[in-house]
Amino acid sequence: MDIVIVVADAVRASVGPLGAAYALTAIGLNLHYGYTGLLNFGHVAFLMVGAYGTAVTVDQGGPFWLGILVGVIAAILLGLLFGLPTLRLRVDYLAIVTIAGGEVLRTVIRSGDKDSLTGGVFGITQFATTFFGANPFPEGEYGWGRLAFTERQLWVAVVAWSLVALATILLVLLVRSPWGRVLRSIREDEDAARSLGKNVFAYKLQSLVTGGVIAAFAGMIIAIERQSVHPDTYLPAGTFLAYAVLILGGTASRLGPVLGAVVYWFLFEFTDGFLRGAISAGWIPGASSRRPTSARSE
Amino acid sequence: MPADAVFAAEAVTGSRKPDAILVVNGMHRSFGGLAAVDVGHLEVQRGVITALIGPNGAGKTTLFNLLTGFDRPDGGSSTFDGRPVTGLPPHRIARAGMIRTFQLTKALAKMSVLDNMMLAAPHQRGERIVYAPLRSAWRHQERDVEERAGSLLEKFGLADLRDDYAATLSGGQRKLLEMARVLMAEPKMVLLDEPMAGVNPALVESLLHHVRELRDEGLTVLFVEHDMDVVMGISDWVVCMGEGRVISEGRRRSWPPTKR
Ligand SMILES: Nc1ncnc2c1ncn2[C@@H]1O[C@H](COP(=O)(O)OP(=O)(O)OP(=O)(O)O)[C@@H](O)[C@H]1O
Ligand SMILES: [Mg+2]
């Protein structure tokens, strides 16, 4: 096994578009959970409506930029849908509604047939041609050896990390402002904030929607990178992965989500590559690189 | 002196008062079968210190919750400064100028003393999400707010602690911070739920001094207190509750004798 290749692949994954998308996902969640104390267990649904908003619009013949706008509007609407009925109640209600609402929405998207708006289980593909058409990087390999990206991957990665930078700056500005001060007071004691004249409900709703829109961009990046949306990408486990990334990097910290995403992808790919290599080198006794089913049938 | 106006009010339960800032009518609230609050008519006079006394479980805190929107009455209404406020959410009532404190202090422990203060300032532009990222839109106001917070902290003897987390304050200091924070919100009337409870005697003096000062600056104070020495020491009017009802009310007797 070549450890250099394993490390290179892991680095590649963590600085690539997916690393950036996970960072954005966690930045949105950080605003919800880290700074406001909202328990959003349906975060992955924001990625889903962002991705589908774009894909469906383009698939129906709309321009790509309109697709992005539709994705953003869809995330705002989803935030209102989750927040309006629950944010006046105890925190648990948001948790229940988000986890259930996200799954219901996913099931609805999934249930259409091939010719429906969402493409059902077939999803939608090839909707980001405009995006790749705008690629300023000429065809070729960028980077060194295993660490090289194609011009397409590089273009997505550059856009994605730019969005991460923008979102990080926006969040720093927001949480350092008096608005952020109110958010921190809500996280600690809602009643104290209320007693001082703060409209806690409105702040929570603003936080939920803003973080949701940031996550919608993450959904768009993942969809664009693959040129495909599929309902099974947005299983509830995705939300918990986002929590893992956020907690790994540190909640309520400025660079936590970015750090968490990079470290997560590095560890994930490294472990994967290392174990594969170890198995094929015979370092792990009893393990076979072949699938267990075929091993049993022998 | 506005406090002398209490002599114009008759010392009977539910008495009408000249220039009442808060008027409560037929307000009741029960938990299960228990009538926690059942107040027929109560008026609180503007610009004076009114003490609300009564045994444990008399319904004093529940009445505070009903008045400030933290709980909803089963019936009845209240008007504050001429406006009906029953049914309004707490933040709207607070913005109308009636600010309350809690029996268990709600100093925000994970925020600095200064942040606790600055949070309370009303009408902050930077608290609106559209302006929040634009520092230039709220920088000047923020500086004014900080200045005002600083001078209030000075007055309450907390200036040296401004950058410390509120968690590091003693119980008494937290009560002081809460009172200073209430003022930061620029209220017309303050409702203090046991502001002296658990405070050491040295600080009680200072708290009493501040409460008197509030009145002298024209604020209306309604406060819950168990210590009768404190009640007799500073209040102009005393309302006594028992089992949810207002049992009696009247001027503070001239005890202990004062120079007035
Ligand atoms: N949320 C609630 N649910 C059920 N019963 C309650 C609730 N809040 C208050 N009570 C009851 O209502 C009655 C009045 O309580 P309240 O806290 O208003 O009294 P209080 O006069 O403030 O007493 P204390 O001097 O001990 O603070 C008590 O019998 C209390 O047990
Ligand atoms: Mg009480």
Side-chain angles (χ1 to χ4, degrees):
Chain A
M1 173 177 56
D2 191 343
I3 197 81
V4 176
I5 291 179
V6 173
V7 171
D9 282 350
V11 169
R12 200 166 172 287
S14 59
V15 303
L18 280 183
Y22 272 63
L24 270 183
T25 308
I27 289 171
L29 195 61
N30 199 19
L31 184 59
H32 295 161
Y33 177 70
Y35 290 107
T36 324
L38 299 176
L39 273 182
N40 166 16
F41 282 156
H43 199 50
V44 75
F46 285 110
L47 279 79
M48 179 169 68
V49 298
Y52 269 94
T54 308
V56 169
T57 308
V58 176
D59 196 48
Q60 295 297 311
F64 182 76
W65 61 266
L66 183 66
I68 300 290
L69 189 68
V70 169
V72 169
I73 292 171
I76 293 173
L77 292 178
L78 186 67
L80 296 177
L81 186 75
F82 281 165
L84 283 173
T86 59
L87 290 177
R88 284 184 213 275
L89 309 172
R90 278 204 329 260
V91 282
D92 352 5
Y93 288 91
L94 177 70
I96 297 163
V97 165
T98 46
I99 194 167
E103 263 303 272
V104 169
L105 197 60
R106 193 181 71 83
T107 311
V108 169
I109 287 174
R110 201 175 191 282
S111 65
D113 61 19
K114 197 175 186 318
D115 302 321
S116 71
L117 212 56
T118 61
V121 291
F122 299 96
I124 302 169
T125 55
Q126 303 305 318
F127 49 83
T129 327
T130 314
F131 177 84
F132 289 109
N135 189 350
F137 300 108
E139 215 178 307
E141 291 266 300
Y142 296 84
W144 312 268
R146 296 288 292 198
L147 265 178
F149 289 104
T150 66
E151 79 283 356
R152 287 167 70 90
Q153 291 168 325
L154 182 67
W155 174 222
V156 183
V158 164
V159 170
W161 282 108
S162 306
L163 286 173
V164 171
L166 279 178
T168 304
I169 291 168
L170 176 71
L171 226 67
V172 168
L173 291 177
L174 279 175
V175 301
R176 274 188 186 169
S177 73
W179 185 83
R181 188 163 58 213
V182 177
L183 238 49
R184 275 180 288 140
S185 77
I186 291 172
R187 179 182 61 185
E188 199 181 328
D189 191 333
E190 289 180 19
D191 281 344
R194 280 197 187 94
S195 75
L196 296 170
K198 312 302 172 197
N199 185 351
V200 170
F201 173 71
Y203 282 96
K204 285 182 172 178
L205 202 58
Q206 288 164 8
S207 165
L208 188 64
V209 168
T210 308
V213 168
I214 293 173
F217 278 103
M220 293 175 203
I221 289 166
I222 296 172
I224 287 167
E225 199 254 350
R226 298 177 181 166
Q227 279 266 51
S228 135
V229 286
H230 189 277
D232 293 347
T233 312
Y234 309 99
L235 293 168
T239 298
F240 298 101
L241 213 57
Y243 272 98
V245 165
L246 178 59
I247 290 163
L248 192 65
T251 49
S253 82
R254 286 178 195 149
L255 289 175
V258 178
L259 199 69
V262 170
V263 170
Y264 169 83
W265 273 103
F266 181 82
L267 288 179
F268 183 82
E269 289 292 322
F270 180 81
T271 315
D272 190 58
F274 184 82
L275 285 178
R276 274 175 207 282
I279 289 168
S280 49
W283 293 355
I284 299 179
S288 162
S289 53
R290 277 182 257 173
R291 296 194 177 278
T293 42
S294 58
R296 220 177 291 130
S297 65
E298 272 170 9
Chain B
M1 184 171 186
D4 289 337
V6 294
F7 290 101
E10 210 188 341
V12 295
T13 305
S15 80
R16 316 280 145 162
K17 301 184 181 74
D19 197 16
I21 189 169
L22 179 69
V23 180
V24 184
N25 258 319
M27 189 168 264
H28 57 96
R29 172 81 167 109
S30 41
F31 297 109
L34 174 90
V37 164
D38 186 4
V39 171
H41 187 85
L42 175 68
E43 297 189 359
V44 176
Q45 194 169 357
R46 192 188 301 270
V48 307
I49 300 176
T50 305
L52 183 59
I53 61 171
N56 294 118
K60 307 178 296 289
T61 299
T62 307
L63 180 61
F64 268 25
N65 288 343
L66 295 175
L67 293 176
T68 52
F70 281 84
D71 192 5
R72 291 193 174 219
D74 299 326
S77 65
S78 56
T79 58
F80 173 71
D81 211 13
R83 283 172 53 192
V85 289
T86 321
L88 289 184
H91 70 272
R92 295 274 305 277
I93 296 180
R95 283 182 198 171
M98 179 157 59
I99 310 267
R100 59 94 50 99
T101 64
F102 295 86
Q103 191 163 352
L104 299 170
T105 35
K106 286 195 182 290
L108 295 157
K110 290 174 201 152
M111 290 170 69
S112 73
V113 168
L114 184 66
D115 273 350
N116 263 277
M117 293 293 288
M118 293 178 71
L119 169 72
H123 318 298
Q124 293 191 59
R125 211 173 182 207
E127 286 184 351
R128 310 239 294 269
I129 190 168
V130 286
Y131 293 120
L134 310 166
R135 202 180 157 71
S136 57
W138 46 264
R139 205 179 43 225
H140 292 295
Q141 194 188 21
E142 184 82 345
R143 216 184 40 216
D144 294 346
V145 167
E146 187 177 337
E147 225 164 78
R148 210 159 66 77
S151 61
L152 270 172
L153 285 175
E154 197 84 49
K155 206 168 131 188
F156 280 77
L158 296 169
D160 294 341
L161 303 167
R162 58 185 265 157
D163 295 322
D164 294 3
Y165 282 107
T168 64
L169 302 187
S170 71
Q173 286 170 331
R174 284 184 203 200
K175 292 272 184 194
L176 276 172
L177 173 60
E178 230 187 354
M179 203 178 291
R181 193 174 67 182
V182 161
L183 294 189
M184 200 63 203
E186 299 177 9
K188 294 177 190 150
M189 175 173 179
V190 296
L191 275 61
L192 310 172
D193 200 346
E194 304 202 14
M196 328 283 172
V199 178
N200 74 54
L203 271 182
V204 166
E205 268 314 307
S206 142
L207 275 165
L208 287 179
H209 166 76
H210 289 302
V211 172
R212 259 192 227 103
E213 247 182 18
L214 297 188
R215 177 204 48 204
D216 295 343
E217 283 163 15
L219 255 81
T220 309
V221 180
L222 176 65
F223 78 112
V224 172
E225 185 51 60
H226 284 291
D227 184 334
M228 285 312 285
D229 286 341
V230 169
V231 171
M232 290 308 174
I234 64 164
S235 47
D236 304 304
W237 193 266
V238 179
V239 174
C240 180
M241 278 182 82
E243 295 179 354
R245 297 163 187 277
V246 175
I247 301 174
S248 69
E249 57 175 305
R251 271 178 295 280
R252 171 197 60 159
R253 280 179 295 144
S254 46
W255 180 91
T258 52
K259 277 187 285 203
R260 200 190 332 216

